[in-house]
Coordinates of all heavy atoms in Angstrom, one line a residue:
V521 N -3.0 60.6 -49.6 CA -2.6 59.4 -50.4 C -3.9 59.0 -51.1 O -4.9 58.7 -50.5 CB -2.1 58.3 -49.5 CG1 -1.8 57.1 -50.4 CG2 -0.8 58.7 -48.8
G522 N -3.8 58.8 -52.4 CA -4.9 58.4 -53.2 C -5.3 56.9 -53.0 O -4.4 56.1 -52.9
N523 N -6.6 56.7 -52.9 CA -7.1 55.3 -52.6 C -8.5 55.1 -53.2 O -9.3 56.0 -53.2 CB -7.2 55.1 -51.1 CG -7.7 53.7 -50.8 OD1 -7.1 52.7 -51.2 ND2 -8.7 53.6 -50.0
V524 N -8.7 54.0 -53.7 CA -10.0 53.5 -54.2 C -10.4 52.2 -53.5 O -9.6 51.3 -53.3 CB -10.0 53.2 -55.8 CG1 -11.4 52.7 -56.2 CG2 -9.6 54.5 -56.5
A525 N -11.6 52.2 -53.0 CA -12.1 51.1 -52.2 C -13.3 50.5 -52.8 O -14.2 51.2 -53.3 CB -12.3 51.5 -50.7
I526 N -13.5 49.2 -52.7 CA -14.8 48.6 -53.0 C -15.7 48.6 -51.8 O -15.4 48.0 -50.8 CB -14.6 47.1 -53.5 CG1 -13.6 47.0 -54.7 CG2 -15.9 46.5 -53.9 CD1 -13.3 45.6 -55.1
T527 N -16.8 49.3 -51.9 CA -17.6 49.5 -50.7 C -18.8 48.5 -50.7 O -19.4 48.4 -49.6 CB -18.2 51.0 -50.7 OG1 -18.9 51.2 -51.9 CG2 -17.0 52.0 -50.5
A559 N -19.9 48.7 -56.1 CA -19.8 50.1 -55.7 C -18.4 50.5 -55.3 O -17.8 49.7 -54.5 CB -20.8 50.5 -54.7
L560 N -17.9 51.6 -55.7 CA -16.6 52.1 -55.4 C -16.6 53.5 -54.7 O -17.6 54.2 -54.9 CB -15.7 52.2 -56.7 CG -15.6 50.9 -57.6 CD1 -14.8 51.2 -58.8 CD2 -15.0 49.8 -56.8
A561 N -15.6 53.8 -53.9 CA -15.4 55.1 -53.3 C -14.0 55.5 -53.4 O -13.1 54.6 -53.3 CB -15.9 55.1 -51.9
R562 N -13.7 56.7 -53.7 CA -12.4 57.3 -53.9 C -12.1 58.4 -52.9 O -13.0 59.2 -52.6 CB -12.2 57.8 -55.3 CG -10.8 58.2 -55.6 CD -10.6 58.5 -57.1 NE -11.3 59.7 -57.5 CZ -10.9 60.5 -58.6 NH1 -9.9 60.1 -59.3 NH2 -11.7 61.5 -58.9
S563 N -10.9 58.4 -52.3 CA -10.5 59.4 -51.4 C -9.0 59.8 -51.7 O -8.3 59.0 -52.3 CB -10.7 58.9 -50.0 OG -9.8 57.8 -49.7
G564 N -8.7 61.0 -51.2 CA -7.3 61.4 -51.2 C -6.8 62.0 -52.6 O -5.7 62.5 -52.6
E565 N -7.6 61.9 -53.6 CA -7.2 62.5 -54.9 C -8.5 62.9 -55.6 O -9.6 62.3 -55.3 CB -6.4 61.5 -55.7 CG -7.1 60.2 -56.1 CD -6.2 59.3 -56.9 OE1 -5.1 59.7 -57.2 OE2 -6.7 58.2 -57.2
A569 N -9.1 59.6 -63.6 CA -8.4 58.4 -63.5 C -9.3 57.2 -63.9 O -10.5 57.4 -64.2 CB -7.9 58.1 -62.1
T570 N -8.8 56.0 -64.1 CA -9.5 54.8 -64.4 C -9.2 53.7 -63.4 O -8.1 53.7 -62.9 CB -9.2 54.4 -65.8 OG1 -7.8 54.1 -65.9 CG2 -9.5 55.4 -66.9
T571 N -10.2 52.9 -63.2 CA -10.1 51.7 -62.3 C -10.6 50.5 -63.0 O -11.8 50.5 -63.5 CB -10.8 52.0 -61.0 OG1 -10.2 53.1 -60.3 CG2 -10.7 50.7 -60.1
V573 N -12.2 46.9 -62.7 CA -13.0 46.1 -61.8 C -13.1 44.7 -62.3 O -13.5 44.5 -63.5 CB -14.4 46.7 -61.5 CG1 -15.2 45.9 -60.5 CG2 -14.3 48.1 -61.1
V588 N -14.0 51.5 -64.9 CA -14.7 52.7 -64.3 C -13.8 53.9 -64.5 O -12.6 53.9 -64.2 CB -14.9 52.5 -62.8 CG1 -15.5 53.8 -62.2 CG2 -15.9 51.4 -62.6
W590 N -13.1 57.8 -63.7 CA -13.4 58.8 -62.7 C -13.3 60.2 -63.3 O -12.3 60.5 -64.0 CB -12.4 58.7 -61.6 CG -12.4 57.4 -60.8 CD1 -11.7 56.3 -61.0 CD2 -13.3 57.1 -59.7 NE1 -12.0 55.3 -60.1 CE2 -13.0 55.7 -59.3 CE3 -14.3 57.8 -59.0 CZ2 -13.7 55.1 -58.3 CZ3 -15.0 57.2 -58.0 CH2 -14.6 55.9 -57.6
T595 N -16.1 61.1 -56.4 CA -15.7 60.3 -55.2 C -16.5 58.9 -55.2 O -16.0 58.1 -54.4 CB -16.0 61.0 -53.9 OG1 -17.4 61.4 -53.8 CG2 -15.1 62.3 -53.8
I623 N -10.1 45.2 -57.5 CA -9.7 46.3 -58.4 C -8.2 46.4 -58.4 O -7.5 45.6 -57.8 CB -10.3 47.6 -57.8 CG1 -9.9 47.8 -56.4 CG2 -11.8 47.6 -58.0 CD1 -10.3 49.2 -55.8
D624 N -7.7 47.4 -59.1 CA -6.2 47.6 -59.3 C -5.6 47.9 -57.9 O -6.2 48.4 -57.0 CB -6.0 48.8 -60.2 CG -6.7 48.6 -61.6 OD1 -6.7 47.5 -62.1 OD2 -7.1 49.6 -62.1
R625 N -4.3 47.5 -57.8 CA -3.6 47.8 -56.6 C -3.4 49.3 -56.4 O -3.2 50.0 -57.4 CB -2.2 47.0 -56.6 CG -2.3 45.5 -56.7 CD -0.9 44.9 -56.7 NE -0.2 45.2 -55.5 CZ 1.1 44.8 -55.2 NH1 1.7 44.1 -56.1 NH2 1.6 45.1 -54.1
D626 N -3.4 49.7 -55.2 CA -3.1 51.1 -54.8 C -2.4 51.2 -53.5 O -1.9 50.2 -53.0 CB -4.4 52.0 -54.9 CG -5.5 51.4 -54.0 OD1 -5.2 50.6 -53.1 OD2 -6.7 51.7 -54.3
A627 N -2.4 52.4 -52.9 CA -1.6 52.5 -51.7 C -2.2 51.8 -50.5 O -1.5 51.4 -49.5 CB -1.5 54.0 -51.3
L628 N -3.5 51.5 -50.5 CA -4.2 50.7 -49.5 C -4.8 49.5 -50.1 O -5.9 49.6 -50.7 CB -5.2 51.6 -48.8 CG -5.9 50.9 -47.6 CD1 -4.9 50.5 -46.5 CD2 -6.9 51.9 -47.0
E629 N -4.1 48.4 -50.0 CA -4.6 47.2 -50.8 C -5.7 46.4 -50.0 O -6.4 45.6 -50.7 CB -3.4 46.2 -51.0 CG -2.3 46.8 -51.9 CD -1.3 45.8 -52.3 OE1 -1.6 44.6 -52.3 OE2 -0.1 46.2 -52.5
A630 N -5.8 46.6 -48.7 CA -6.8 45.7 -48.0 C -8.2 45.9 -48.4 O -9.0 45.1 -48.1 CB -6.6 46.0 -46.5
D631 N -8.5 47.1 -48.9 CA -9.9 47.3 -49.4 C -10.1 47.2 -50.8 O -11.1 47.6 -51.4 CB -10.4 48.7 -48.9 CG -9.5 49.9 -49.4 OD1 -8.6 49.6 -50.3 OD2 -9.7 51.0 -49.0
N632 N -9.2 46.5 -51.5 CA -9.3 46.3 -53.0 C -10.0 45.0 -53.3 O -10.2 44.7 -54.5 CB -7.9 46.3 -53.6 CG -7.2 47.6 -53.6 OD1 -7.8 48.6 -53.2 ND2 -5.9 47.7 -53.8
T633 N -10.4 44.2 -52.3 CA -11.1 43.0 -52.6 C -12.3 42.9 -51.6 O -12.2 43.3 -50.4 CB -10.2 41.8 -52.3 OG1 -9.0 41.8 -53.1 CG2 -10.9 40.5 -52.6
S951 N -11.7 53.6 -44.9 CA -10.8 53.6 -46.1 C -10.4 55.0 -46.6 O -9.7 55.2 -47.5 CB -11.6 52.9 -47.3 OG -11.7 51.6 -47.1
T953 N -8.3 57.9 -46.9 CA -6.9 58.2 -46.6 C -6.6 59.7 -46.6 O -5.4 60.1 -46.6 CB -6.0 57.5 -47.6 OG1 -6.5 57.9 -49.0 CG2 -6.1 56.0 -47.6

Side-chain angles (χ1 to χ4, degrees):
V521 175
N523 179 54
V524 178
I526 303 178
T527 58
L560 308 176
R562 185 171 68 153
S563 63
E565 62 181 355
T570 60
T571 299
V573 182
V588 173
W590 299 94
T595 59
I623 57 175
D624 306 323
R625 297 182 61 181
D626 54 21
L628 184 56
E629 294 187 28
D631 58 9
N632 292 347
T633 302
S951 291
T953 55

